[in-house]
């Protein structure tokens, strides 16, 4: 067995009196598609925000590919190879789809900002390759017809895919997806599931996703972590999670039956897409 | 021929044409008209530099007069001869290295830009972590501090007496060459991926950080670049008017440039250039409002400052009816002129 790609130990983060994440532990192996679930406000997004460097943990350690990244700034963590999307899509709305992805490609450039001014050797090639890579990624996520449209004007599902393409442009080894299926219709959701698996295989990624749509979670995640009030209440594969008494009480409730019925309906306080605003 | 080569040829042709027009203007126009043309060029440099900071970088900065003052003083102090400086400094003797240094005009321009950039770096580091209105207040304060510093450092700047007799190096050709260079640099930078990045930082800082962009660094960079060109603009202005004093660099100067940028369109270089032409003309033309004039058969007595009132009203109207400015965020492209359609996929 090789070392895990991501190891979170005793992660704690509070906001004032609220303990959003409380002593959370997680070990993700290379090449896995992992899921993080739990009721609204359980602290899932907070875990993402601390891993990706937007929040500093109050306690605990985050080790990525053998390197301690606890408290590193977000831009450096991206450089290390962790890319993410946001629960409330955060595209550069005024820029075109291609330009959005080109921004993602910027982190891997080798040339300096002033070099285009003096036509420094190789700088134009690099500019061209950032653009062609962006075009390529746009094709891979099937957004060609929108490539020169403003990102803000794209349909919802396309925006979600564009955000993933933009994250891929940073050439990550680890991808964090925060509710990728939120707001998608059943057909889009079905496509998304195939898409996520393909991403993992074609880009050699490890993927960790937060999702309320149990069909997606149970369908693609090889291992699932369940949070409730900031605490880990269960961990295991889909089958085990579905049978776990605490998970059923805290979160799944009757939504399992709903998913089993094929209705995909999300019931009550259980799984549904969060709509409340947040900082990231 | 590909569209790109054609555009490059068109641009080259436009530059040659502009050069010929300048030669014609230089030979055929009266001094007053040439002065207005000069002001247009300098205002365009200043507007583009502020647009870089505010329009593209999203940093509401009111410090432009300060950067201009630094540029103008640096250039003037370096370009004047030792004897001239010795004669002019009457409050206190001029300090040592400045008392003997004299460098060529072009080098003094560069020094003016670099000095402004250096000062901007010093304030950027603490202040750019602030956002929005706070940044405006902090940079406004910075510009005032610069003015007070200049007034009170008589041994360097000759204090409130100012500096006179700066050689009139900023000719029509020089000003437009500088404008051309500034436009080249800014347009080229913004059309590289750096342009996408700086706009990304402006539009969504959180997302930009998630993309691995050190947003603070890019903000500082855009701010200092803007200050650099503002310093050069200030230096040119000093060399055009040949006299500078601390009172010149007051808030009104920043205000005028801000208005050019807003009127032209935040985030449009083309807009800043068009805005400079229109507003420089307008400010000159509105001078009539300061003296008595007749309108609709009624004689209106001249009120000093009336010009600025009319100016402000015109801008108010613009903001009310076309908030995004003349150009919005669009840029001039040859395709518009010749309606060559880009094929859409
Ligand atoms: N920036 C913040 N400031 C204050 N409180 C916060 C902040 N971010 C999160 N919280 C709080 O932390 C708790 C966990 O929030 P988090 O967004 O991580 O939940 P979540 O599991 O992602 O929920 P959802 O499914 O609704 O997205 C909530 O009580 C939330 O109000
Ligand atoms: Mg969340």
């Amino acid at each position: 067995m090789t070392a895990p790609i991501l190891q979170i130990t005793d992660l704690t983060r509070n906001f004032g009196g609220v303990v959003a994440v409380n002593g959370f532990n997680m070990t993700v192996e290379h090449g896995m598609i992992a899921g993080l679930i739990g009721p609204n406000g359980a602290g899932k997004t907070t875990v993402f925000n601390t891993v990706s460097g937007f929040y500093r943990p109050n306690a605990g350690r985050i080790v990525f590919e053998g390197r301690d990244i606890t408290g590193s700034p977000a831009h450096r963590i991206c450089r290390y190879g962790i890319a993410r999307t946001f629960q409330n899509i955060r595209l550069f709305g005024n820029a075109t789809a291609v330009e959005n992805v080109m921004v993602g490609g910027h982190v891997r450039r080798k040339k300096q900002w002033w070099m285009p001014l003096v036509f420094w050797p190789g700088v134009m090639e690099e500019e061209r390759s950032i653009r062609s890579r962006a075009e390529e990624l746009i094709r891979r996520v099937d957004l060609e017809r929108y490539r020169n449209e403003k990102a803000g004007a794209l349909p919802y599902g396309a925006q979600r895919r564009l955000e993933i393409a933009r994250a891929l442009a940073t050439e990550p080894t680890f991808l964090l997806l925060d509710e990728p299926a939120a707001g998608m219709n059943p057909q889009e959701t079905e496509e998304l599931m195939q898409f996520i698996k393909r991403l993992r295989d074609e880009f050699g990624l490890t993927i960790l996703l937060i999702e309320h749509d149990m069909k997606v979670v149970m369908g693609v995640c090889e291992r699932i972590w369940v949070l409730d009030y900031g605490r880990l209440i269960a961990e295991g594969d889909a089958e085990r999670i579905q049978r776990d008494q605490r998970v059923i009480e805290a979160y799944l409730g009757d939504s399992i039956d709903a998913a089993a019925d094929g209705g995909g309906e999300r019931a009550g306080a259980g799984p549904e897409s969060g709509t409340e605003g947040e900082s990231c | 021929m590909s569209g790109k080569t054609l555009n490059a040829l068109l641009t080259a042709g436009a530059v040659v044409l502009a050069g010929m027009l300048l030669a014609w203007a230089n030979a055929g126009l009266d001094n007053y008209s040439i002065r207005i043309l000069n002001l247009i060029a300098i205002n365009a440099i200043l507007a583009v530099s502020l647009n870089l900071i505010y329009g593209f970088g999203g940093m509401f900065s009111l410090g432009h007069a300060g950067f201009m003052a630094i540029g103008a003083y640096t250039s003037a102090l370096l370009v004047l001869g030792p004897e001239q400086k010795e004669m002019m400094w009457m409050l206190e003797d001029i300090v040592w290295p400045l008392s003997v240094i004299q460098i060529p005009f072009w080098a003094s321009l560069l020094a003016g830009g670099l000095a402004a950039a250096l000062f901007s770096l010093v304030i950027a580091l603490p202040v750019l972590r602030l956002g929005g209105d706070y940044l405006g207040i902090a940079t406004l304060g910075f510009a005032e501090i610069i003015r007070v510093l200049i007034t009170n450092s008589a041994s360097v700047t000759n204090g409130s007496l100012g500096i006179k007799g700066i050689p009139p190096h900023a000719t029509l050709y020089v000003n437009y060459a500088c404008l051309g260079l500034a436009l080249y640099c800014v347009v080229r930078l913004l059309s590289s991926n750096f342009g996408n990045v700086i706009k990304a930082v402006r539009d969504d800082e959180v997302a930009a950080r998630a993309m691995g962009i050190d947003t603070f660094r890019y903000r500082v960079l855009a701010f200092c670049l803007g200050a650099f060109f503002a310093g050069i603009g200030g230096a040119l202005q000093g060399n055009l008017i040949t006299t500078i004093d601390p009172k010149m660099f007051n808030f009104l100067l920043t205000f005028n440039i801000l208005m050019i940028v807003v009127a032209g369109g935040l985030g449009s270089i083309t807009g800043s250039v068009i805005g400079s032409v229109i507003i420089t003309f307008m400010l000159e033309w509105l001078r009539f409002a300061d003296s008595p004039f007749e309108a609709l058969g009624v004689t209106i007595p001249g009120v000093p400052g009336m010009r600025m009132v009319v100016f402000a009203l015109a801008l108010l109207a613009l903001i009310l009816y076309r908030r995004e400015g003349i150009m919005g965020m669009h840029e001039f492209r040859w395709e518009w002129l010749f309606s060559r359609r880009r094929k859409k996929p």
Side-chain angles (χ1 to χ4, degrees), chain A residues 54 75 78 90 102 106 109 113 116-117 119 124 127 166, chain B residues 184 188-189 193 197 204 206-207 210-213 218:
Chain A
F54 284 96
H75 63 89
C78 173
R90 279 179 169 269
M102 286 173 72
H106 194 69
R109 86 206 178 285
W113 61 272
L117 288 181
F119 291 88
M124 298 318 291
E127 286 283 325
R166 189 181 65 174
Chain B
Y184 165 79
R188 187 139 180 86
L189 277 182
N193 204 27
V197 169
D204 192 330
V206 168
M211 292 299 102
I213 292 161
Y218 278 89

PDB file of all heavy atoms in Angstrom, chain A residues 54 75 78 90 102 106 109 113 116-117 119 124 127 166, chain B residues 184 188-189 193 197 204 206-207 210-213 218:
ATOM      1  N   PHE A  54      -8.647  28.103   2.721  1.00  0.00           N
ATOM      2  CA  PHE A  54      -9.408  29.339   2.924  1.00  0.00           C
ATOM      3  C   PHE A  54      -9.641  29.632   4.390  1.00  0.00           C
ATOM      4  O   PHE A  54      -9.743  30.785   4.782  1.00  0.00           O
ATOM      5  CB  PHE A  54     -10.731  29.287   2.155  1.00  0.00           C
ATOM      6  CG  PHE A  54     -10.542  29.502   0.688  1.00  0.00           C
ATOM      7  CD1 PHE A  54     -10.433  28.432  -0.174  1.00  0.00           C
ATOM      8  CD2 PHE A  54     -10.422  30.787   0.183  1.00  0.00           C
ATOM      9  CE1 PHE A  54     -10.220  28.630  -1.527  1.00  0.00           C
ATOM     10  CE2 PHE A  54     -10.208  30.997  -1.162  1.00  0.00           C
ATOM     11  CZ  PHE A  54     -10.110  29.920  -2.021  1.00  0.00           C
ATOM     12  N   HIS A  75      -3.665  29.823  -2.401  1.00  0.00           N
ATOM     13  CA  HIS A  75      -3.022  29.774  -3.713  1.00  0.00           C
ATOM     14  C   HIS A  75      -1.863  28.788  -3.728  1.00  0.00           C
ATOM     15  O   HIS A  75      -1.594  28.143  -4.738  1.00  0.00           O
ATOM     16  CB  HIS A  75      -2.568  31.166  -4.150  1.00  0.00           C
ATOM     17  CG  HIS A  75      -1.536  31.796  -3.275  1.00  0.00           C
ATOM     18  ND1 HIS A  75      -0.195  31.605  -3.479  1.00  0.00           N
ATOM     19  CD2 HIS A  75      -1.654  32.603  -2.200  1.00  0.00           C
ATOM     20  CE1 HIS A  75       0.470  32.284  -2.552  1.00  0.00           C
ATOM     21  NE2 HIS A  75      -0.389  32.892  -1.768  1.00  0.00           N
ATOM     22  N   CYS A  78      -3.238  25.208  -3.982  1.00  0.00           N
ATOM     23  CA  CYS A  78      -3.606  24.894  -5.364  1.00  0.00           C
ATOM     24  C   CYS A  78      -2.368  24.477  -6.141  1.00  0.00           C
ATOM     25  O   CYS A  78      -2.387  23.517  -6.906  1.00  0.00           O
ATOM     26  CB  CYS A  78      -4.250  26.108  -6.016  1.00  0.00           C
ATOM     27  SG  CYS A  78      -4.560  25.883  -7.760  1.00  0.00           S
ATOM     28  N   ARG A  90     -18.747  29.821  -8.431  1.00  0.00           N
ATOM     29  CA  ARG A  90     -17.998  31.080  -8.454  1.00  0.00           C
ATOM     30  C   ARG A  90     -17.173  31.157  -9.717  1.00  0.00           C
ATOM     31  O   ARG A  90     -15.970  30.930  -9.699  1.00  0.00           O
ATOM     32  CB  ARG A  90     -17.059  31.157  -7.248  1.00  0.00           C
ATOM     33  CG  ARG A  90     -17.728  31.580  -5.975  1.00  0.00           C
ATOM     34  CD  ARG A  90     -16.701  31.586  -4.879  1.00  0.00           C
ATOM     35  NE  ARG A  90     -17.215  32.215  -3.687  1.00  0.00           N
ATOM     36  CZ  ARG A  90     -17.095  33.502  -3.411  1.00  0.00           C
ATOM     37  NH1 ARG A  90     -16.471  34.308  -4.229  1.00  0.00           N
ATOM     38  NH2 ARG A  90     -17.590  33.989  -2.293  1.00  0.00           N
ATOM     39  N   MET A 102      -8.525  29.568 -18.848  1.00  0.00           N
ATOM     40  CA  MET A 102      -7.152  30.071 -18.975  1.00  0.00           C
ATOM     41  C   MET A 102      -6.630  30.606 -17.647  1.00  0.00           C
ATOM     42  O   MET A 102      -5.444  30.474 -17.336  1.00  0.00           O
ATOM     43  CB  MET A 102      -7.086  31.168 -20.038  1.00  0.00           C
ATOM     44  CG  MET A 102      -7.197  30.623 -21.457  1.00  0.00           C
ATOM     45  SD  MET A 102      -7.319  31.928 -22.681  1.00  0.00           S
ATOM     46  CE  MET A 102      -5.645  32.573 -22.672  1.00  0.00           C
ATOM     47  N   HIS A 106      -3.053  29.500 -15.419  1.00  0.00           N
ATOM     48  CA  HIS A 106      -2.010  30.466 -15.087  1.00  0.00           C
ATOM     49  C   HIS A 106      -1.028  29.949 -14.038  1.00  0.00           C
ATOM     50  O   HIS A 106       0.169  30.243 -14.092  1.00  0.00           O
ATOM     51  CB  HIS A 106      -2.666  31.750 -14.590  1.00  0.00           C
ATOM     52  CG  HIS A 106      -1.738  32.918 -14.540  1.00  0.00           C
ATOM     53  ND1 HIS A 106      -1.247  33.502 -15.686  1.00  0.00           N
ATOM     54  CD2 HIS A 106      -1.203  33.603 -13.514  1.00  0.00           C
ATOM     55  CE1 HIS A 106      -0.458  34.508 -15.350  1.00  0.00           C
ATOM     56  NE2 HIS A 106      -0.408  34.584 -14.042  1.00  0.00           N
ATOM     57  N   ARG A 109       2.226  28.327 -15.229  1.00  0.00           N
ATOM     58  CA  ARG A 109       3.095  28.987 -16.201  1.00  0.00           C
ATOM     59  C   ARG A 109       4.502  29.102 -15.622  1.00  0.00           C
ATOM     60  O   ARG A 109       4.688  29.078 -14.405  1.00  0.00           O
ATOM     61  CB  ARG A 109       2.561  30.373 -16.553  1.00  0.00           C
ATOM     62  CG  ARG A 109       3.037  31.415 -15.564  1.00  0.00           C
ATOM     63  CD  ARG A 109       2.157  32.585 -15.444  1.00  0.00           C
ATOM     64  NE  ARG A 109       2.692  33.475 -14.429  1.00  0.00           N
ATOM     65  CZ  ARG A 109       2.605  33.249 -13.125  1.00  0.00           C
ATOM     66  NH1 ARG A 109       1.982  32.185 -12.683  1.00  0.00           N
ATOM     67  NH2 ARG A 109       3.137  34.082 -12.262  1.00  0.00           N
ATOM     68  N   TRP A 113       5.297  37.867 -15.823  1.00  0.00           N
ATOM     69  CA  TRP A 113       4.241  38.716 -16.391  1.00  0.00           C
ATOM     70  C   TRP A 113       4.759  39.718 -17.411  1.00  0.00           C
ATOM     71  O   TRP A 113       4.080  40.055 -18.364  1.00  0.00           O
ATOM     72  CB  TRP A 113       3.512  39.459 -15.267  1.00  0.00           C
ATOM     73  CG  TRP A 113       4.417  40.368 -14.479  1.00  0.00           C
ATOM     74  CD1 TRP A 113       5.148  40.016 -13.385  1.00  0.00           C
ATOM     75  CD2 TRP A 113       4.695  41.741 -14.735  1.00  0.00           C
ATOM     76  NE1 TRP A 113       5.876  41.083 -12.940  1.00  0.00           N
ATOM     77  CE2 TRP A 113       5.611  42.159 -13.749  1.00  0.00           C
ATOM     78  CE3 TRP A 113       4.258  42.666 -15.680  1.00  0.00           C
ATOM     79  CZ2 TRP A 113       6.101  43.462 -13.698  1.00  0.00           C
ATOM     80  CZ3 TRP A 113       4.751  43.957 -15.629  1.00  0.00           C
ATOM     81  CH2 TRP A 113       5.663  44.343 -14.644  1.00  0.00           C
ATOM     82  N   PRO A 116       5.923  39.112 -22.021  1.00  0.00           N
ATOM     83  CA  PRO A 116       5.296  39.388 -23.322  1.00  0.00           C
ATOM     84  C   PRO A 116       5.659  40.769 -23.872  1.00  0.00           C
ATOM     85  O   PRO A 116       5.679  40.969 -25.088  1.00  0.00           O
ATOM     86  CB  PRO A 116       3.792  39.321 -23.020  1.00  0.00           C
ATOM     87  CG  PRO A 116       3.673  38.501 -21.803  1.00  0.00           C
ATOM     88  CD  PRO A 116       4.921  38.756 -21.000  1.00  0.00           C
ATOM     89  N   LEU A 117       5.991  41.710 -22.990  1.00  0.00           N
ATOM     90  CA  LEU A 117       6.301  43.071 -23.431  1.00  0.00           C
ATOM     91  C   LEU A 117       7.510  43.106 -24.353  1.00  0.00           C
ATOM     92  O   LEU A 117       7.586  43.924 -25.266  1.00  0.00           O
ATOM     93  CB  LEU A 117       6.600  43.969 -22.223  1.00  0.00           C
ATOM     94  CG  LEU A 117       5.417  44.341 -21.366  1.00  0.00           C
ATOM     95  CD1 LEU A 117       5.857  45.250 -20.223  1.00  0.00           C
ATOM     96  CD2 LEU A 117       4.372  45.044 -22.206  1.00  0.00           C
ATOM     97  N   PHE A 119       8.708  40.341 -25.965  1.00  0.00           N
ATOM     98  CA  PHE A 119       8.699  39.140 -26.798  1.00  0.00           C
ATOM     99  C   PHE A 119       9.787  38.167 -26.367  1.00  0.00           C
ATOM    100  O   PHE A 119      10.556  37.670 -27.175  1.00  0.00           O
ATOM    101  CB  PHE A 119       8.878  39.501 -28.282  1.00  0.00           C
ATOM    102  CG  PHE A 119       7.690  40.205 -28.841  1.00  0.00           C
ATOM    103  CD1 PHE A 119       7.578  41.584 -28.757  1.00  0.00           C
ATOM    104  CD2 PHE A 119       6.671  39.482 -29.443  1.00  0.00           C
ATOM    105  CE1 PHE A 119       6.462  42.231 -29.264  1.00  0.00           C
ATOM    106  CE2 PHE A 119       5.554  40.116 -29.950  1.00  0.00           C
ATOM    107  CZ  PHE A 119       5.448  41.495 -29.861  1.00  0.00           C
ATOM    108  N   MET A 124       5.474  33.560 -26.091  1.00  0.00           N
ATOM    109  CA  MET A 124       4.287  33.467 -26.933  1.00  0.00           C
ATOM    110  C   MET A 124       3.816  32.019 -27.051  1.00  0.00           C
ATOM    111  O   MET A 124       2.625  31.754 -27.072  1.00  0.00           O
ATOM    112  CB  MET A 124       4.557  34.045 -28.329  1.00  0.00           C
ATOM    113  CG  MET A 124       4.925  35.523 -28.334  1.00  0.00           C
ATOM    114  SD  MET A 124       3.913  36.498 -27.195  1.00  0.00           S
ATOM    115  CE  MET A 124       2.337  36.418 -28.017  1.00  0.00           C
ATOM    116  N   GLU A 127       1.890  31.291 -23.950  1.00  0.00           N
ATOM    117  CA  GLU A 127       0.554  31.888 -24.030  1.00  0.00           C
ATOM    118  C   GLU A 127      -0.358  31.027 -24.890  1.00  0.00           C
ATOM    119  O   GLU A 127      -1.500  30.752 -24.538  1.00  0.00           O
ATOM    120  CB  GLU A 127       0.640  33.298 -24.644  1.00  0.00           C
ATOM    121  CG  GLU A 127       1.219  34.351 -23.718  1.00  0.00           C
ATOM    122  CD  GLU A 127       0.214  34.804 -22.666  1.00  0.00           C
ATOM    123  OE1 GLU A 127      -0.988  34.863 -22.980  1.00  0.00           O
ATOM    124  OE2 GLU A 127       0.642  35.090 -21.540  1.00  0.00           O
ATOM    125  N   ARG A 166     -12.244  24.528 -15.177  1.00  0.00           N
ATOM    126  CA  ARG A 166     -11.335  25.543 -14.673  1.00  0.00           C
ATOM    127  C   ARG A 166     -10.444  24.957 -13.573  1.00  0.00           C
ATOM    128  O   ARG A 166      -9.237  25.227 -13.518  1.00  0.00           O
ATOM    129  CB  ARG A 166     -12.157  26.718 -14.133  1.00  0.00           C
ATOM    130  CG  ARG A 166     -11.341  27.923 -13.775  1.00  0.00           C
ATOM    131  CD  ARG A 166     -12.209  29.022 -13.224  1.00  0.00           C
ATOM    132  NE  ARG A 166     -12.817  28.629 -11.948  1.00  0.00           N
ATOM    133  CZ  ARG A 166     -13.538  29.450 -11.196  1.00  0.00           C
ATOM    134  NH1 ARG A 166     -13.765  30.691 -11.596  1.00  0.00           N
ATOM    135  NH2 ARG A 166     -14.058  29.047 -10.060  1.00  0.00           N
TER     136      ARG A 166
ATOM    137  N   TYR B 184       1.069  50.586 -25.710  1.00  0.00           N
ATOM    138  CA  TYR B 184       1.640  49.304 -26.108  1.00  0.00           C
ATOM    139  C   TYR B 184       1.781  48.383 -24.891  1.00  0.00           C
ATOM    140  O   TYR B 184       1.343  47.235 -24.900  1.00  0.00           O
ATOM    141  CB  TYR B 184       2.991  49.503 -26.790  1.00  0.00           C
ATOM    142  CG  TYR B 184       3.786  48.220 -26.898  1.00  0.00           C
ATOM    143  CD1 TYR B 184       3.484  47.297 -27.886  1.00  0.00           C
ATOM    144  CD2 TYR B 184       4.797  47.922 -25.989  1.00  0.00           C
ATOM    145  CE1 TYR B 184       4.179  46.100 -27.972  1.00  0.00           C
ATOM    146  CE2 TYR B 184       5.490  46.736 -26.067  1.00  0.00           C
ATOM    147  CZ  TYR B 184       5.187  45.826 -27.054  1.00  0.00           C
ATOM    148  OH  TYR B 184       5.867  44.647 -27.123  1.00  0.00           O
ATOM    149  N   ARG B 188      -0.661  45.184 -24.373  1.00  0.00           N
ATOM    150  CA  ARG B 188       0.016  43.900 -24.537  1.00  0.00           C
ATOM    151  C   ARG B 188      -0.089  43.051 -23.262  1.00  0.00           C
ATOM    152  O   ARG B 188      -0.323  41.852 -23.326  1.00  0.00           O
ATOM    153  CB  ARG B 188       1.469  44.146 -24.904  1.00  0.00           C
ATOM    154  CG  ARG B 188       2.186  42.898 -25.250  1.00  0.00           C
ATOM    155  CD  ARG B 188       3.107  43.049 -26.432  1.00  0.00           C
ATOM    156  NE  ARG B 188       3.731  41.774 -26.654  1.00  0.00           N
ATOM    157  CZ  ARG B 188       3.196  40.809 -27.372  1.00  0.00           C
ATOM    158  NH1 ARG B 188       2.064  41.016 -27.981  1.00  0.00           N
ATOM    159  NH2 ARG B 188       3.789  39.641 -27.489  1.00  0.00           N
ATOM    160  N   LEU B 189       0.080  43.705 -22.125  1.00  0.00           N
ATOM    161  CA  LEU B 189      -0.049  42.967 -20.867  1.00  0.00           C
ATOM    162  C   LEU B 189      -1.463  42.441 -20.693  1.00  0.00           C
ATOM    163  O   LEU B 189      -1.679  41.288 -20.336  1.00  0.00           O
ATOM    164  CB  LEU B 189       0.287  43.873 -19.683  1.00  0.00           C
ATOM    165  CG  LEU B 189       1.754  44.030 -19.342  1.00  0.00           C
ATOM    166  CD1 LEU B 189       1.898  44.926 -18.127  1.00  0.00           C
ATOM    167  CD2 LEU B 189       2.369  42.669 -19.067  1.00  0.00           C
ATOM    168  N   ASN B 193      -2.297  36.439 -20.852  1.00  0.00           N
ATOM    169  CA  ASN B 193      -3.117  35.803 -19.818  1.00  0.00           C
ATOM    170  C   ASN B 193      -3.118  36.615 -18.524  1.00  0.00           C
ATOM    171  O   ASN B 193      -4.020  36.500 -17.710  1.00  0.00           O
ATOM    172  CB  ASN B 193      -2.631  34.370 -19.554  1.00  0.00           C
ATOM    173  CG  ASN B 193      -3.721  33.499 -18.964  1.00  0.00           C
ATOM    174  OD1 ASN B 193      -4.906  33.742 -19.183  1.00  0.00           O
ATOM    175  ND2 ASN B 193      -3.331  32.506 -18.193  1.00  0.00           N
ATOM    176  N   VAL B 197      -6.076  37.181 -15.710  1.00  0.00           N
ATOM    177  CA  VAL B 197      -5.845  36.956 -14.292  1.00  0.00           C
ATOM    178  C   VAL B 197      -6.209  38.189 -13.474  1.00  0.00           C
ATOM    179  O   VAL B 197      -6.908  38.088 -12.460  1.00  0.00           O
ATOM    180  CB  VAL B 197      -4.376  36.548 -14.047  1.00  0.00           C
ATOM    181  CG1 VAL B 197      -4.039  36.581 -12.570  1.00  0.00           C
ATOM    182  CG2 VAL B 197      -4.117  35.173 -14.617  1.00  0.00           C
ATOM    183  N   ASP B 204     -13.640  38.065  -8.724  1.00  0.00           N
ATOM    184  CA  ASP B 204     -13.919  37.116  -7.655  1.00  0.00           C
ATOM    185  C   ASP B 204     -12.603  36.679  -7.020  1.00  0.00           C
ATOM    186  O   ASP B 204     -11.946  35.752  -7.477  1.00  0.00           O
ATOM    187  CB  ASP B 204     -14.667  35.894  -8.202  1.00  0.00           C
ATOM    188  CG  ASP B 204     -15.232  35.044  -7.066  1.00  0.00           C
ATOM    189  OD1 ASP B 204     -14.635  35.029  -5.975  1.00  0.00           O
ATOM    190  OD2 ASP B 204     -16.271  34.399  -7.282  1.00  0.00           O
ATOM    191  N   VAL B 206     -11.966  35.198  -4.190  1.00  0.00           N
ATOM    192  CA  VAL B 206     -11.944  33.852  -3.607  1.00  0.00           C
ATOM    193  C   VAL B 206     -11.678  32.811  -4.691  1.00  0.00           C
ATOM    194  O   VAL B 206     -10.806  31.947  -4.552  1.00  0.00           O
ATOM    195  CB  VAL B 206     -13.272  33.564  -2.879  1.00  0.00           C
ATOM    196  CG1 VAL B 206     -13.372  32.094  -2.529  1.00  0.00           C
ATOM    197  CG2 VAL B 206     -13.368  34.413  -1.614  1.00  0.00           C
ATOM    198  N   ALA B 207     -12.410  32.919  -5.805  1.00  0.00           N
ATOM    199  CA  ALA B 207     -12.215  31.955  -6.888  1.00  0.00           C
ATOM    200  C   ALA B 207     -10.801  32.068  -7.447  1.00  0.00           C
ATOM    201  O   ALA B 207     -10.177  31.064  -7.775  1.00  0.00           O
ATOM    202  CB  ALA B 207     -13.243  32.185  -7.987  1.00  0.00           C
ATOM    203  N   ALA B 210      -8.469  30.242  -5.306  1.00  0.00           N
ATOM    204  CA  ALA B 210      -8.619  28.794  -5.502  1.00  0.00           C
ATOM    205  C   ALA B 210      -7.934  28.341  -6.787  1.00  0.00           C
ATOM    206  O   ALA B 210      -7.613  27.163  -6.938  1.00  0.00           O
ATOM    207  CB  ALA B 210     -10.098  28.421  -5.532  1.00  0.00           C
ATOM    208  N   MET B 211      -7.725  29.268  -7.720  1.00  0.00           N
ATOM    209  CA  MET B 211      -7.032  28.941  -8.966  1.00  0.00           C
ATOM    210  C   MET B 211      -5.518  29.067  -8.814  1.00  0.00           C
ATOM    211  O   MET B 211      -4.784  29.089  -9.800  1.00  0.00           O
ATOM    212  CB  MET B 211      -7.488  29.871 -10.094  1.00  0.00           C
ATOM    213  CG  MET B 211      -8.915  29.675 -10.533  1.00  0.00           C
ATOM    214  SD  MET B 211      -9.197  28.027 -11.176  1.00  0.00           S
ATOM    215  CE  MET B 211      -9.992  27.273  -9.805  1.00  0.00           C
ATOM    216  N   GLY B 212      -5.055  29.228  -7.593  1.00  0.00           N
ATOM    217  CA  GLY B 212      -3.620  29.287  -7.357  1.00  0.00           C
ATOM    218  C   GLY B 212      -3.018  30.654  -7.584  1.00  0.00           C
ATOM    219  O   GLY B 212      -1.800  30.788  -7.710  1.00  0.00           O
ATOM    220  N   ILE B 213      -3.868  31.678  -7.641  1.00  0.00           N
ATOM    221  CA  ILE B 213      -3.340  33.007  -7.904  1.00  0.00           C
ATOM    222  C   ILE B 213      -3.116  33.738  -6.590  1.00  0.00           C
ATOM    223  O   ILE B 213      -4.020  33.831  -5.756  1.00  0.00           O
ATOM    224  CB  ILE B 213      -4.302  33.787  -8.811  1.00  0.00           C
ATOM    225  CG1 ILE B 213      -4.301  33.144 -10.184  1.00  0.00           C
ATOM    226  CG2 ILE B 213      -3.895  35.249  -8.896  1.00  0.00           C
ATOM    227  CD1 ILE B 213      -5.498  33.500 -11.000  1.00  0.00           C
ATOM    228  N   TYR B 218      -0.798  40.151  -7.264  1.00  0.00           N
ATOM    229  CA  TYR B 218      -1.258  40.721  -8.526  1.00  0.00           C
ATOM    230  C   TYR B 218      -1.885  42.092  -8.342  1.00  0.00           C
ATOM    231  O   TYR B 218      -1.765  42.959  -9.198  1.00  0.00           O
ATOM    232  CB  TYR B 218      -2.222  39.757  -9.228  1.00  0.00           C
ATOM    233  CG  TYR B 218      -1.453  38.712  -9.974  1.00  0.00           C
ATOM    234  CD1 TYR B 218      -1.071  37.534  -9.358  1.00  0.00           C
ATOM    235  CD2 TYR B 218      -1.031  38.937 -11.265  1.00  0.00           C
ATOM    236  CE1 TYR B 218      -0.320  36.594 -10.012  1.00  0.00           C
ATOM    237  CE2 TYR B 218      -0.279  38.004 -11.949  1.00  0.00           C
ATOM    238  CZ  TYR B 218       0.075  36.840 -11.318  1.00  0.00           C
ATOM    239  OH  TYR B 218       0.838  35.917 -11.982  1.00  0.00           O
TER     240      TYR B 218
END
